[in-house]
Amino acid sequence: MKDTLKHQGLRNKLVEILKGKGIKNREVLNAIGKIPRHLFMDSGFLDHAYQDKAFPIAADQTISQPYTVAFQTELLQINKGDTVLEIGTGSGYQTAVLLELGAKVYSIERQQELFKRTSKFLPKLGYNAKKLIFGDGYIGYAEAAPYHGIIVTAGAPKIPSDLLAQLAIGGRLVIPVGDTTQVMTLIIRKSEQEFEKHEFGEFRFVPLLENKN
Ligand code: SAH
């Protein structure tokens, strides 16, 4: 596992690209400038790690495009010490971004292979989530609720009601909603009963799958 000056140079360029695409949050940009994304990908893709593109990881899944990671994280508006739930741990890259922002992170993955790999890998880089969970993100993780932020990193055909229930008052849920393409959706919980909805542009994610296999 190597991180070199060359990688740092490529990361600095990636940060400039993201700024050019409209990402403004300094802490989000700093996190992307710091995290060695190439180590989250198979070695065959090393050269691609700092392009603003999604790439395949194990189990037919993808590591999200850096712009998408930045966009979703910016919408979450995380403060240090916030409790955040991520659905779709995947490579752990988004998890690392959340940890760099000082969040207490819970993250759920339904693919056992990815869950095992990422559970071993993240601590090696010094990224310690509160808990990585092998399970179904549709039902969230009630044990650690309520959350200041919930981020879904797979395309959801609908908004899971369990996730709404696990949001703190004032909390934010960032979720791509749709079947083939998804509309980035931000839900803010205004009160026990009231939820405010904001919609952003179209994105494309691997699907949030309901039942294991
Ligand atoms: N955040 C990841 C993105 C991975 S792609 C990263 O930065 O690499 C989306 C992930 O969601 C995949 O790993 C997929 O297995 C997972 N996923 C799909 N449906 C799920 C569900 N119902 N519960 C938990 N994880 C799910």
Side-chain angles (χ1 to χ4, degrees):
M1 292 213 288
K2 259 196 175 164
D3 188 33
T4 65
L5 274 177
K6 180 184 149 215
H7 294 118
Q8 184 58 59
L10 291 170
R11 276 201 291 281
N12 294 345
K13 279 192 189 143
L14 174 61
V15 166
E16 290 309 312
I17 289 170
L18 297 181
K19 278 188 195 166
K21 291 185 176 177
I23 302 298
K24 291 192 176 66
N25 186 301
R26 191 180 294 266
E27 285 162 7
V28 172
L29 292 168
N30 284 345
I32 288 173
K34 186 168 167 195
I35 300 168
R37 187 170 186 259
H38 61 288
L39 300 180
F40 290 73
M41 295 166 51
D42 293 334
S43 55
F45 292 107
L46 274 187
D47 289 346
H48 300 282
Y50 297 107
Q51 294 177 16
D52 187 24
K53 286 183 181 165
F55 275 102
I57 50 175
D60 287 333
Q61 301 303 323
T62 56
I63 178 169
S64 299
Q65 182 179 345
Y67 174 73
T68 305
V69 171
F71 192 86
Q72 287 196 276
T73 311
E74 204 165 62
L75 284 179
L76 272 181
Q77 293 188 0
I78 292 169
N79 293 307
K80 253 199 176 70
D82 281 357
T83 304
V84 174
L85 176 66
E86 177 190 20
I87 311 299
T89 315
S91 69
Y93 181 74
Q94 172 74 68
T95 317
V97 171
L98 297 169
L99 288 167
E100 282 289 347
L101 294 178
K104 294 179 183 135
V105 184
Y106 294 81
S107 183
I108 309 178
E109 173 57 54
R110 70 182 277 287
Q111 290 273 2
Q112 190 159 34
E113 182 190 348
L114 280 172
F115 166 74
K116 282 189 181 157
R117 266 169 68 144
T118 302
S119 300
K120 275 197 201 138
F121 170 71
L122 277 177
K124 281 191 195 157
L125 288 188
Y127 290 118
N128 296 303
K130 280 278 162 196
K131 194 171 168 72
L132 298 177
I133 299 134
F134 174 54
D136 179 9
Y138 267 93
I139 59 173
Y141 186 65
E143 287 86 335
Y147 299 98
H148 299 106
I150 300 179
I151 176 170
V152 179
T153 69
K158 58 179 172 33
I159 298 175
S161 56
D162 284 323
L163 299 186
L164 292 174
Q166 291 171 25
L167 212 50
I169 310 282
R172 299 161 81 89
L173 165 65
V174 176
I175 179 168
V177 184
D179 292 317
T180 28
T181 63
Q182 293 83 31
V183 175
M184 192 60 75
T185 306
L186 166 67
I187 305 282
I188 304 172
R189 186 170 202 170
K190 291 296 193 183
S191 68
E192 204 54 51
Q193 301 297 337
E194 246 180 308
F195 295 86
E196 194 179 272
K197 181 173 166 179
H198 303 262
E199 290 183 334
F200 299 85
E202 287 217 348
F203 289 78
R204 199 179 277 260
F205 285 79
V206 295
L208 185 68
L209 298 170
E210 194 132 13
N211 291 309
K212 178 89 185 96
N213 300 322

